[in-house]
Amino acid sequence: MTTTPEPTEEAGTRRPHPASAAGLVVYLVVVFALAWAIELGPVRSAGYGPGRFPAMLWLVVVMFLPSIAAVIARRVERCGFGDAGLRWGRGRYHLAAWLLPFGVAAVAVGLTIAFGVGRFDPTGSTMLAKLPAEQRAAAEEFTNRWGVWLPVLAIVSGLTQGIIVTSFATFGEEFGWRGYLQPRLMHLGPVRSTVLVGVIWGIWHAPIIVQGHNYPGHPVAGVFLMIAFCVVWSVILGWLFLASRSVLAPTIAHASINSPAASLGVFVAGADWAIGNITGVIGITVAGCVALWLWRTGRLREPSSGEQAS
């Protein structure tokens, strides 16, 4: 009589430690307490806004807090990092992670201009005027010396060095949100778990949104818009995590949202970012369509044992 060996799970795909309730509570308490203390303390004191270097530096620190909370929670659970996705995974999803947010932003910017929410600004002069004097002068000097069109410079820089530099900070978030929290909620199913992670992720941003981040002029509505933004993108990033079996894919996608995708806003003048571009209602709707497609086509699921072994 022969027995069929049970399929083994590769590193980065194992289920979380069963005794995860205490760790989950610790994670949420730590990540919220530390982030909100910094955002309501040093960031608020420094004065949030473009060019405010101390505030921006503190916000980079905040991005690493989900990783710190995840490590602490794992110590509480006395488990390792087998379910964190610390592996290369399926490389083709890294390419999708790099380009998908840029594509969503391009469609959102196009619709923003088409619907008259913003005006097409081929020179990027409106966005340039919002920069601090020193940064504006440096950008103008560079473009004049090398003859590089400012919007092209912003996009190429975002898709290359912007992704690389920003990925260090976005890993700080993704190792926590996707690498720790999502696996702990997967018993709810892929859809519910990714949506719940998105709600938590969005609420986590509340103090800095109230101070004008992403939605200037909309301190209250901005909080709800940020939650919606995080929900639809949590579904997409959660799919990348499951499909690639790696936390690297959502890390790259998160960096793509923050850098090249956001840089496309240089082409739009006079738009309310609560309505247009990638962060507004238009961008949330476009990303929501992608998330809905992932769900309806059955892509938002855990890989089977056979797929894990491939």
Side-chain angles (χ1 to χ4, degrees), residues 122-189:
T123 66
S125 58
T126 302
M127 186 68 72
L128 184 64
K130 296 180 180 180
L131 295 176
E134 297 83 0
Q135 294 182 21
R136 184 167 61 251
E140 289 175 342
E141 180 182 357
F142 184 91
T143 54
N144 291 335
R145 175 178 297 182
W146 299 101
V148 180
W149 188 29
L150 178 62
V152 172
L153 175 64
I155 292 171
V156 172
S157 176
L159 283 170
T160 53
Q161 67 167 358
I163 286 283
I164 296 172
V165 173
T166 309
S167 288
F168 287 99
T170 56
F171 175 82
E173 285 201 43
E174 292 306 314
F175 183 72
W177 301 124
R178 251 56 62 178
Y180 176 82
L181 185 58
Q182 182 174 321
R184 297 306 182 279
L185 300 177
M186 281 301 294
H187 64 280
L188 301 174

Side-chain angles (χ1 to χ4, degrees), residues 173 177-178 197-205 230 234 237 254:
E173 285 201 43
W177 301 124
R178 251 56 62 178
V197 170
V199 171
I200 295 170
W201 185 26
I203 295 173
W204 182 73
H205 286 87
C230 287
S234 179
L237 299 184
H254 194 158

Side-chain angles (χ1 to χ4, degrees), residues 191-262:
V191 176
R192 291 178 181 176
S193 64
T194 54
V195 168
L196 182 54
V197 170
V199 171
I200 295 170
W201 185 26
I203 295 173
W204 182 73
H205 286 87
I208 194 62
I209 297 299
V210 171
Q211 296 177 60
H213 184 63
N214 285 347
Y215 306 100
H218 303 281
V220 177
V223 173
F224 293 97
L225 286 169
M226 190 63 189
I227 293 173
F229 178 88
C230 287
V231 166
V232 296
W233 279 105
S234 179
V235 172
I236 296 171
L237 299 184
W239 161 69
L240 286 169
F241 177 69
L242 292 173
S244 69
R245 310 195 310 275
S246 170
V247 75
L248 180 59
T251 295
I252 294 171
H254 194 158
S256 185
I257 296 170
N258 288 6
S259 190

